[in-house]
């Protein structure tokens, strides 16, 4: 498997923790991931989610970048309809100026929130309709070829921060192919259209100034542990956590009640979201990823650790780096 391995950090706020604890954990993980040989780390824009601390995505990227040296850092992604393209060009132009050659800008069109939060963000419900035009406007600011006469991003002008289109449907694949941009598929939580989307993207890709050949990044959940049993136990705990957060909000359930919830139709639907999950010993995870790369037609994997325990999360990333020889 000759693909790059990267990490999606969900900036999780654990039970009894604060956002400051989450940021400290993100820095610790990034320092380790850099040492272990991972290619990049991305953070996603989410709002009004009490367990995710990456809402001010560009600020978090800058915080981590200042405490690391070489690893690429970026947004996976910025939900562009929440923002004016000029504002994002200025933010990421600033990051690129401060940390040259290390910054990525992944773009999505989802709100990253619920309907009430969309209103609190002052987001126009139709904003997603102009996503392709907004991507081009943003690209113009970053390449120094503004599409709005007399308006430039400072910083941002001519920084050429690389853009990535994120998606979980055919729309993102079509747009990324048309614009000649890398495509990142969210198969770690939205698996259904993976093969159709990546096939279309590769077939229809149009070379661009940024990219001469298609580049697919596919998300995959990974829990590597010293034993299969430990990995499977971590996976079960992750499933219980996900089910309780998504299906039992505001309620405290026993383990038995959560397991019953997992066995329900709604629980099985939640579990199906993580269809692409590798859990086991390093060799077992490696074998799974070999097959997944071919299925996803991926050039790069964005690893998501769903382990609830931070120690297990870090151990998983370390074991995966070792089995893939990233530090060699």
């Amino acid at each position: 498997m000759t693909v790059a391995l990267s990490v999606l950090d969900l900036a999780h706020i654990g039970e009894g923790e604060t956002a400051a604890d989450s940021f400290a954990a993100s820095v610790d993980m990034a320092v380790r991931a850099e040492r272990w040989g991972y290619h990049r780390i991305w953070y996603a824009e989410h709002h009004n989610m009490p367990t995710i601390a990456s809402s001010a995505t560009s600020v978090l990227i800058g915080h981590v970048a200042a405490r690391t040296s070489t690893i690429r850092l970026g947004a996976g992604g910025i939900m562009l309809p929440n923002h004016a393209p000029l504002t994002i060009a200025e933010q990421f132009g600033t990051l690129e100026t401060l940390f040259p050659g290390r910054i990525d800008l992944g773009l999505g069109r989802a709100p990253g929130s619920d309907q009430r939060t969309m209103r609190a963000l002052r987001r126009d419900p139709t904003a997603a309709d102009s996503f392709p035009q907004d991507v081009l406007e943003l690209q113009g600011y970053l390449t120094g070829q503004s599409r709005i006469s007399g308006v430039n991003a400072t910083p941002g002008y001519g920084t050429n921060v690389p853009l990535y289109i994120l998606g979980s449907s055919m729309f993102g694949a079509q747009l990324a192919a048309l614009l000649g941009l890398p495509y990142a598929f969210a198969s770690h939580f939205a698996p259904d259209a993976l093969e159709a989307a990546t096939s279309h993207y590769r077939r229809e890709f149009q070379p661009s100034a940024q990219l001469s050949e298609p580049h697919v990044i596919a998300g995959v959940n990974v829990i590597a542990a010293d034993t299969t049993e430990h990995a499977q136990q971590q996976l079960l705990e992750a499933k219980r956590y996900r089910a309780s957060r998504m299906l039992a909000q505001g309620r405290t359930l026993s383990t038995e009640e959560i397991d019953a919830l997992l066995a329900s139709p709604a629980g099985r639907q939640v579990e199906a979201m993580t269809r692409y999950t590798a859990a086991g010993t390093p060799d077992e995870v490696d074998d799974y990823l070999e097959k997944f790369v071919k299925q996803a037609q991926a050039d790069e994997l964005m690893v998501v650790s769903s382990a609830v325990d931070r120690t297990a999360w870090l151990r998983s990333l370390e074991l995966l780096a070792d089995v893939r020889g990233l530090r060699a």
Side-chain angles (χ1 to χ4, degrees), residues 111-151:
S113 59
D114 56 33
Q115 295 296 316
R116 289 179 299 176
T117 308
M118 281 177 59
R119 290 194 292 272
L121 287 166
R122 305 296 192 268
R123 173 173 167 158
D124 182 340
T126 66
D129 297 341
S130 62
F131 180 68
Q133 293 75 26
D134 289 345
V135 171
L136 290 172
E137 182 181 338
L138 173 59
Q139 187 179 53
Y141 292 133
L142 293 171
T143 60
Q145 300 175 7
S146 176
R147 290 174 171 257
I148 300 180
S149 179
V151 178

Short mmCIF file of all heavy atoms in Angstrom, two decimals, residues 111-151:
data_model
loop_
_atom_site.label_atom_id
_atom_site.label_comp_id
_atom_site.label_asym_id
_atom_site.label_seq_id
_atom_site.Cartn_x
_atom_site.Cartn_y
_atom_site.Cartn_z
N PRO A 111 -23.88 22.59 6.45
CA PRO A 111 -23.83 23.64 7.47
C PRO A 111 -22.91 23.33 8.64
O PRO A 111 -22.46 24.24 9.32
CB PRO A 111 -25.29 23.74 7.94
CG PRO A 111 -25.87 22.39 7.65
CD PRO A 111 -25.19 21.93 6.39
N GLY A 112 -22.64 22.04 8.89
CA GLY A 112 -21.86 21.70 10.06
C GLY A 112 -22.61 21.96 11.35
O GLY A 112 -22.02 22.17 12.41
N SER A 113 -23.95 21.93 11.26
CA SER A 113 -24.78 22.28 12.40
C SER A 113 -26.22 21.92 12.09
O SER A 113 -26.54 21.41 11.03
CB SER A 113 -24.67 23.79 12.69
OG SER A 113 -25.09 24.53 11.55
N ASP A 114 -27.11 22.23 13.03
CA ASP A 114 -28.54 22.01 12.82
C ASP A 114 -29.21 23.29 12.31
O ASP A 114 -28.56 24.32 12.13
CB ASP A 114 -29.21 21.52 14.11
CG ASP A 114 -28.97 22.48 15.28
OD1 ASP A 114 -28.88 23.69 15.05
OD2 ASP A 114 -28.86 21.99 16.42
N GLN A 115 -30.52 23.23 12.08
CA GLN A 115 -31.23 24.36 11.48
C GLN A 115 -31.19 25.60 12.38
O GLN A 115 -31.01 26.72 11.89
CB GLN A 115 -32.68 23.96 11.20
CG GLN A 115 -32.84 22.86 10.16
CD GLN A 115 -32.35 23.30 8.78
OE1 GLN A 115 -32.64 24.41 8.33
NE2 GLN A 115 -31.61 22.42 8.11
N ARG A 116 -31.37 25.43 13.68
CA ARG A 116 -31.35 26.58 14.57
C ARG A 116 -29.97 27.24 14.60
O ARG A 116 -29.86 28.47 14.61
CB ARG A 116 -31.75 26.16 15.99
CG ARG A 116 -33.22 25.82 16.14
CD ARG A 116 -33.53 25.40 17.57
NE ARG A 116 -32.77 24.21 17.95
CZ ARG A 116 -32.79 23.67 19.16
NH1 ARG A 116 -33.52 24.22 20.12
NH2 ARG A 116 -32.09 22.57 19.43
N THR A 117 -28.94 26.41 14.57
CA THR A 117 -27.59 26.95 14.58
C THR A 117 -27.29 27.66 13.27
O THR A 117 -26.58 28.67 13.26
CB THR A 117 -26.57 25.83 14.84
OG1 THR A 117 -26.95 25.11 16.01
CG2 THR A 117 -25.18 26.40 15.04
N MET A 118 -27.84 27.15 12.18
CA MET A 118 -27.68 27.85 10.91
C MET A 118 -28.21 29.28 11.01
O MET A 118 -27.58 30.23 10.53
CB MET A 118 -28.44 27.11 9.79
CG MET A 118 -27.73 25.89 9.25
SD MET A 118 -28.73 25.02 8.01
CE MET A 118 -28.96 26.32 6.79
N ARG A 119 -29.36 29.44 11.64
CA ARG A 119 -29.91 30.79 11.80
C ARG A 119 -29.03 31.65 12.69
O ARG A 119 -28.82 32.84 12.43
CB ARG A 119 -31.33 30.71 12.36
CG ARG A 119 -32.35 30.14 11.39
CD ARG A 119 -33.77 30.39 11.85
NE ARG A 119 -34.09 29.63 13.05
CZ ARG A 119 -34.57 28.40 13.05
NH1 ARG A 119 -34.78 27.76 11.90
NH2 ARG A 119 -34.85 27.77 14.18
N ALA A 120 -28.47 31.03 13.75
CA ALA A 120 -27.58 31.78 14.63
C ALA A 120 -26.30 32.21 13.92
O ALA A 120 -25.70 33.24 14.25
CB ALA A 120 -27.23 30.94 15.86
N LEU A 121 -25.88 31.43 12.91
CA LEU A 121 -24.72 31.77 12.10
C LEU A 121 -25.03 32.82 11.05
O LEU A 121 -24.14 33.25 10.31
CB LEU A 121 -24.18 30.51 11.39
CG LEU A 121 -23.46 29.48 12.26
CD1 LEU A 121 -23.29 28.18 11.50
CD2 LEU A 121 -22.10 30.02 12.71
N ARG A 122 -26.32 33.22 10.98
CA ARG A 122 -26.79 34.17 9.95
C ARG A 122 -26.62 33.60 8.55
O ARG A 122 -26.41 34.31 7.58
CB ARG A 122 -26.03 35.52 10.04
CG ARG A 122 -26.08 36.17 11.40
CD ARG A 122 -27.51 36.57 11.79
NE ARG A 122 -27.54 37.44 12.95
CZ ARG A 122 -27.65 37.02 14.21
NH1 ARG A 122 -27.71 35.71 14.46
NH2 ARG A 122 -27.69 37.87 15.21
N ARG A 123 -26.69 32.28 8.47
CA ARG A 123 -26.52 31.62 7.17
C ARG A 123 -27.80 31.68 6.38
O ARG A 123 -28.88 31.36 6.89
CB ARG A 123 -26.08 30.17 7.37
CG ARG A 123 -26.06 29.37 6.09
CD ARG A 123 -25.46 28.00 6.28
NE ARG A 123 -25.72 27.16 5.11
CZ ARG A 123 -25.01 26.10 4.77
NH1 ARG A 123 -23.99 25.75 5.50
NH2 ARG A 123 -25.32 25.38 3.72
N ASP A 124 -27.68 32.04 5.13
CA ASP A 124 -28.81 32.01 4.19
C ASP A 124 -29.08 30.55 3.84
O ASP A 124 -28.17 29.82 3.41
CB ASP A 124 -28.43 32.80 2.93
CG ASP A 124 -29.55 32.86 1.91
OD1 ASP A 124 -30.47 32.02 1.96
OD2 ASP A 124 -29.49 33.74 1.04
N PRO A 125 -30.31 30.07 4.02
CA PRO A 125 -30.61 28.66 3.71
C PRO A 125 -30.28 28.26 2.28
O PRO A 125 -30.09 27.07 2.00
CB PRO A 125 -32.11 28.56 3.98
CG PRO A 125 -32.40 29.66 4.96
CD PRO A 125 -31.48 30.77 4.58
N THR A 126 -30.20 29.23 1.38
CA THR A 126 -29.89 28.91 -0.03
C THR A 126 -28.40 29.05 -0.34
O THR A 126 -28.01 28.91 -1.50
CB THR A 126 -30.69 29.83 -0.97
OG1 THR A 126 -30.25 31.19 -0.80
CG2 THR A 126 -32.19 29.74 -0.67
N ALA A 127 -27.59 29.32 0.68
CA ALA A 127 -26.18 29.61 0.44
C ALA A 127 -25.45 28.45 -0.24
O ALA A 127 -24.52 28.66 -1.02
CB ALA A 127 -25.48 29.97 1.75
N ALA A 128 -25.87 27.22 0.07
CA ALA A 128 -25.19 26.07 -0.53
C ALA A 128 -25.34 26.03 -2.05
O ALA A 128 -24.51 25.43 -2.74
CB ALA A 128 -25.72 24.77 0.07
N ASP A 129 -26.37 26.69 -2.57
CA ASP A 129 -26.60 26.67 -4.02
C ASP A 129 -25.46 27.35 -4.78
O ASP A 129 -25.22 27.03 -5.95
CB ASP A 129 -27.93 27.35 -4.35
CG ASP A 129 -29.12 26.62 -3.76
OD1 ASP A 129 -28.97 25.43 -3.41
OD2 ASP A 129 -30.20 27.23 -3.66
N SER A 130 -24.78 28.30 -4.14
CA SER A 130 -23.71 29.03 -4.82
C SER A 130 -22.32 28.48 -4.48
O SER A 130 -21.31 29.14 -4.75
CB SER A 130 -23.77 30.52 -4.46
OG SER A 130 -23.57 30.71 -3.06
N PHE A 131 -22.29 27.29 -3.91
CA PHE A 131 -21.01 26.71 -3.49
C PHE A 131 -19.98 26.66 -4.63
O PHE A 131 -18.84 27.10 -4.43
CB PHE A 131 -21.23 25.31 -2.91
CG PHE A 131 -19.99 24.62 -2.44
CD1 PHE A 131 -19.30 25.07 -1.33
CD2 PHE A 131 -19.51 23.49 -3.11
CE1 PHE A 131 -18.15 24.43 -0.89
CE2 PHE A 131 -18.37 22.84 -2.67
CZ PHE A 131 -17.68 23.31 -1.56
N PRO A 132 -20.31 26.19 -5.83
CA PRO A 132 -19.29 26.17 -6.89
C PRO A 132 -18.74 27.55 -7.21
O PRO A 132 -17.52 27.72 -7.38
CB PRO A 132 -20.06 25.59 -8.09
CG PRO A 132 -21.15 24.78 -7.49
CD PRO A 132 -21.57 25.55 -6.27
N GLN A 133 -19.61 28.56 -7.27
CA GLN A 133 -19.15 29.91 -7.55
C GLN A 133 -18.29 30.46 -6.40
O GLN A 133 -17.30 31.16 -6.63
CB GLN A 133 -20.35 30.84 -7.79
CG GLN A 133 -21.14 30.55 -9.06
CD GLN A 133 -22.02 29.31 -8.95
OE1 GLN A 133 -22.44 28.91 -7.86
NE2 GLN A 133 -22.30 28.68 -10.10
N ASP A 134 -18.67 30.10 -5.16
CA ASP A 134 -17.89 30.55 -4.01
C ASP A 134 -16.50 29.93 -3.99
O ASP A 134 -15.52 30.57 -3.60
CB ASP A 134 -18.64 30.23 -2.71
CG ASP A 134 -19.87 31.08 -2.51
OD1 ASP A 134 -20.00 32.12 -3.20
OD2 ASP A 134 -20.71 30.72 -1.67
N VAL A 135 -16.40 28.65 -4.40
CA VAL A 135 -15.10 28.01 -4.47
C VAL A 135 -14.21 28.74 -5.48
O VAL A 135 -13.02 29.01 -5.20
CB VAL A 135 -15.24 26.52 -4.86
CG1 VAL A 135 -13.86 25.91 -5.15
CG2 VAL A 135 -15.93 25.74 -3.76
N LEU A 136 -14.77 29.08 -6.63
CA LEU A 136 -13.99 29.78 -7.65
C LEU A 136 -13.59 31.18 -7.17
O LEU A 136 -12.47 31.64 -7.44
CB LEU A 136 -14.80 29.88 -8.94
CG LEU A 136 -15.00 28.56 -9.69
CD1 LEU A 136 -15.98 28.75 -10.85
CD2 LEU A 136 -13.66 28.01 -10.19
N GLU A 137 -14.50 31.85 -6.46
CA GLU A 137 -14.16 33.18 -5.93
C GLU A 137 -13.01 33.07 -4.93
O GLU A 137 -12.06 33.86 -4.97
CB GLU A 137 -15.38 33.81 -5.28
CG GLU A 137 -15.12 35.22 -4.74
CD GLU A 137 -16.33 35.82 -4.06
OE1 GLU A 137 -17.46 35.39 -4.33
OE2 GLU A 137 -16.13 36.74 -3.22
N LEU A 138 -13.10 32.10 -4.03
CA LEU A 138 -12.05 31.87 -3.05
C LEU A 138 -10.73 31.53 -3.73
O LEU A 138 -9.66 32.06 -3.36
CB LEU A 138 -12.48 30.73 -2.11
CG LEU A 138 -11.46 30.21 -1.11
CD1 LEU A 138 -10.99 31.31 -0.18
CD2 LEU A 138 -12.06 29.04 -0.32
N GLN A 139 -10.80 30.67 -4.72
CA GLN A 139 -9.59 30.28 -5.45
C GLN A 139 -8.93 31.50 -6.10
O GLN A 139 -7.70 31.65 -6.10
CB GLN A 139 -9.93 29.23 -6.50
CG GLN A 139 -8.73 28.64 -7.22
CD GLN A 139 -9.16 27.59 -8.23
OE1 GLN A 139 -10.02 27.85 -9.08
NE2 GLN A 139 -8.59 26.40 -8.13
N GLY A 140 -9.76 32.39 -6.64
CA GLY A 140 -9.23 33.60 -7.26
C GLY A 140 -8.47 34.47 -6.28
O GLY A 140 -7.39 35.01 -6.60
N TYR A 141 -9.00 34.62 -5.08
CA TYR A 141 -8.29 35.42 -4.07
C TYR A 141 -6.94 34.81 -3.72
O TYR A 141 -5.94 35.52 -3.56
CB TYR A 141 -9.13 35.50 -2.79
CG TYR A 141 -10.40 36.31 -2.92
CD1 TYR A 141 -11.60 35.80 -2.42
CD2 TYR A 141 -10.42 37.56 -3.53
CE1 TYR A 141 -12.78 36.52 -2.51
CE2 TYR A 141 -11.59 38.29 -3.64
CZ TYR A 141 -12.78 37.77 -3.12
OH TYR A 141 -13.94 38.49 -3.22
N LEU A 142 -6.88 33.49 -3.61
CA LEU A 142 -5.66 32.82 -3.17
C LEU A 142 -4.60 32.75 -4.27
O LEU A 142 -3.41 32.68 -3.98
CB LEU A 142 -5.98 31.42 -2.65
CG LEU A 142 -6.82 31.38 -1.37
CD1 LEU A 142 -7.27 29.96 -1.06
CD2 LEU A 142 -6.05 31.96 -0.18
N THR A 143 -5.04 32.71 -5.52
CA THR A 143 -4.08 32.65 -6.63
C THR A 143 -3.67 34.02 -7.13
O THR A 143 -2.80 34.13 -8.00
CB THR A 143 -4.68 31.85 -7.80
OG1 THR A 143 -5.88 32.49 -8.24
CG2 THR A 143 -4.97 30.42 -7.40
N GLY A 144 -4.30 35.06 -6.59
CA GLY A 144 -3.99 36.41 -7.06
C GLY A 144 -4.70 36.78 -8.34
O GLY A 144 -4.28 37.69 -9.05
N GLN A 145 -5.80 36.04 -8.64
CA GLN A 145 -6.59 36.32 -9.84
C GLN A 145 -8.04 36.55 -9.43
O GLN A 145 -8.93 35.79 -9.78
CB GLN A 145 -6.47 35.16 -10.82
CG GLN A 145 -5.03 34.91 -11.27
CD GLN A 145 -4.92 33.67 -12.15
OE1 GLN A 145 -5.90 33.07 -12.56
NE2 GLN A 145 -3.69 33.28 -12.45
N SER A 146 -8.24 37.60 -8.67
CA SER A 146 -9.55 37.88 -8.09
C SER A 146 -10.62 38.00 -9.17
O SER A 146 -10.41 38.58 -10.23
CB SER A 146 -9.50 39.18 -7.28
OG SER A 146 -10.78 39.50 -6.80
N ARG A 147 -11.78 37.44 -8.88
CA ARG A 147 -12.93 37.51 -9.78
C ARG A 147 -13.77 38.74 -9.51
O ARG A 147 -14.76 38.97 -10.21
CB ARG A 147 -13.78 36.24 -9.64
CG ARG A 147 -13.07 35.00 -10.19
CD ARG A 147 -13.83 33.72 -9.92
NE ARG A 147 -13.23 32.62 -10.67
CZ ARG A 147 -13.73 32.10 -11.80
NH1 ARG A 147 -14.85 32.59 -12.31
NH2 ARG A 147 -13.12 31.12 -12.42
N ILE A 148 -13.42 39.51 -8.50
CA ILE A 148 -14.14 40.74 -8.19
C ILE A 148 -13.16 41.90 -8.34
O ILE A 148 -12.19 42.02 -7.57
CB ILE A 148 -14.73 40.71 -6.77
CG1 ILE A 148 -15.71 39.55 -6.64
CG2 ILE A 148 -15.41 42.04 -6.44
CD1 ILE A 148 -16.36 39.42 -5.30
N SER A 149 -13.37 42.73 -9.33
CA SER A 149 -12.44 43.80 -9.66
C SER A 149 -12.19 44.71 -8.46
O SER A 149 -13.12 45.16 -7.80
CB SER A 149 -12.99 44.63 -10.82
OG SER A 149 -12.11 45.69 -11.14
N GLY A 150 -10.90 44.91 -8.18
CA GLY A 150 -10.52 45.82 -7.11
C GLY A 150 -10.53 45.23 -5.73
O GLY A 150 -10.25 45.93 -4.74
N VAL A 151 -10.85 43.94 -5.60
CA VAL A 151 -10.91 43.29 -4.29
C VAL A 151 -9.87 42.17 -4.23
O VAL A 151 -9.87 41.27 -5.07
CB VAL A 151 -12.30 42.70 -4.00
CG1 VAL A 151 -12.31 41.98 -2.65
CG2 VAL A 151 -13.36 43.79 -4.04
#
